[in-house]
Amino acid sequence: MTEAFAPAHEVARRIRNGEIAAETVVADALARIAKLDPQVNAFTDVTAERALASARTIDDARTRGEPLGPLAGVPFAAKNLFDIEGLPTRAGSKINRERPPAPRDAVLVERLSAAGGILLGGLNMGEYAYDFTGENAHDGPCRNPHDLKRMAGGSSSGSGAATAAGFVPIALGSDTNGSIRVPGSLCGVFGLKPTYGRLPRTRSFPFCDSLDHLGPLARDVTDLALSYDLMQGPDAEDPACAQRPVEPTMPSLHDGLSGLRIAVAGGYFATDGMPEAEAAVAKVANGLGAKRVLDLKGAAVARAAAFLITNAESSSFHLPRLRAGADDFDPETRDRFLAGALLPAAWYVQAQRARRWFHDEMMRQFAEVDLIVAPATPCPAPLVGQKTLELRGETLPLRPSLGLFTQPISCIGLPVAAVPVQGEALPIGVQLIAPPWREDICLRAAYALQAMGVCRATEPENLN
Amino acid sequence: MSGAVDFDPERHLEVMAPTLGLTISEEQKPVVLQFLAIAHNMARIVEAAPLADDKLELAPSFRPGLPGDGL
């Protein structure tokens, strides 16, 4: 493994032990970004001065013998909908660049920084997070480090690509309908979408209040769990944030699979005609010893509900911006926002009722299982610019179809780890879905799969 | 609601866009109409959910006394 792909917890250990300086780690990461990111386009802002100053602070603290945090000197980056002090929070848009610079970092950026993490900058994303592709009319498409002709997946495209490319070991993303899990799948990295309400969204730019989640992506499961644990805890400024104490997942990470009742999602989640997804689910199910197939009845309703709730809430939020200048939007998001602004209220209310109904149905299923395995995306990374997808004999529009398997799960806020399986040519992800507030189960299973070698984030072969 | 009754995306757009103060250009209209049709299809799927007709339980919850824009 090359230095750029070392796990974050290992980098932090070396820095704490004085084997390497934080400034060296950060300078190396910045040099790699300067050299390779023009091909990938993961970063929209690189905060080099801030990063180097923070690294020197860590090194000085070590010299003085002060205790260092669990992420001491570890580079990380954040999707550009997280506030970064001194930068306008663009959220993938052109319009937001006129906003004043953020006066303070987003709360999750602050929490990782407090643990010693060093922010390297803001990451590319689909405009206002309404995206599964990673394409962006203003900043250019974010490309897949495993094949630069292909999509990174969205909307946390830069978060998936920056981790896969070895620019940072940990990145922050957001997931409303699959925007952590889709780029995680296409870029071949691990991602965690925690339970709705777990991590505070304070000082991040919203998309759809009912469904917005924040979470980490990483190349290593220990890093995923560690960063997640460090970000837990309520914050008073996010009304949707549950007032739950920190429930650390690291203590049970190595507990293995013993005692877990694991099933594979069937029915709506069947992968017939999707050979790569089918093979990946089979590998993970085999690794986990999951034989039972569970038909998650109502998943199609949940996906439709998520579509309507997202369309209505986000379009209502952007209505003043649509009135003032619709042509300043990315055309790929603009027309969906315009349509969403016109939806009848009854469709939205029915979607929120159906969401409650599917939640209750799934709670009954979780009386019998602890973890459900499902595909993350129907296929590995499509080509940049591709508009349609062949699924089960039908030609479908690509953009909404990439979220086919992720949308029903985020609709009811369940915690999910997306885990990468290496296919013949490209990686593809699998979802590990647990009951509410049981991120520990998702991460335990993800760690077991990584330890078995079933799931791993591979280094891109041709990125140099 | 969304039902099998006629839903004419174009007529809906012509009425609702000015109601909301939106100007939708001829260039934008075809794709907006496509998305309205997709949304209508989604509404039909959601309408088919077997919901009790004596319950109104919406997923979002509102908790008075906790932070939000109004406080």
Side-chain angles (χ1 to χ4, degrees), chain A residues 58-84:
Chain A
I58 299 266
D59 289 333
D60 290 346
R62 203 197 75 79
T63 304
R64 291 193 300 269
E66 293 171 13
L68 300 181
L71 290 179
V74 168
F76 75 98
K79 185 175 185 175
N80 70 29
L81 57 66
F82 286 82
D83 281 3
I84 295 174

Side-chain angles (χ1 to χ4, degrees), chain A residues 236 239 300-301 304-305 307-308 322-323 327 334-336 338-339 341-343 346-347 349-353 355-357, chain B residues 1-2 12 20-22 28 31-32 35-36 38-40 42-43 45-46 50-52 55 57-60 63 67-68:
Chain A
V301 169
F307 180 98
L308 292 170
L322 290 166
R323 287 183 185 132
D327 284 334
R334 178 197 62 206
D335 298 341
R336 277 181 292 164
L338 286 170
L342 310 179
L343 298 193
W347 295 5
V349 171
Q350 182 75 358
Q352 289 287 16
R353 293 178 73 198
R355 184 174 162 226
R356 170 67 65 197
W357 166 79
Chain B
M1 196 173 65
S2 59
H12 183 82
L20 287 154
L22 286 173
Q28 294 160 354
V31 183
V32 175
F35 282 113
L36 272 177
I38 292 172
H40 176 243
M42 296 294 180
I45 294 170
V46 166
L51 304 181
K55 284 186 178 170
E57 294 175 346
L58 304 188
R63 294 167 296 169

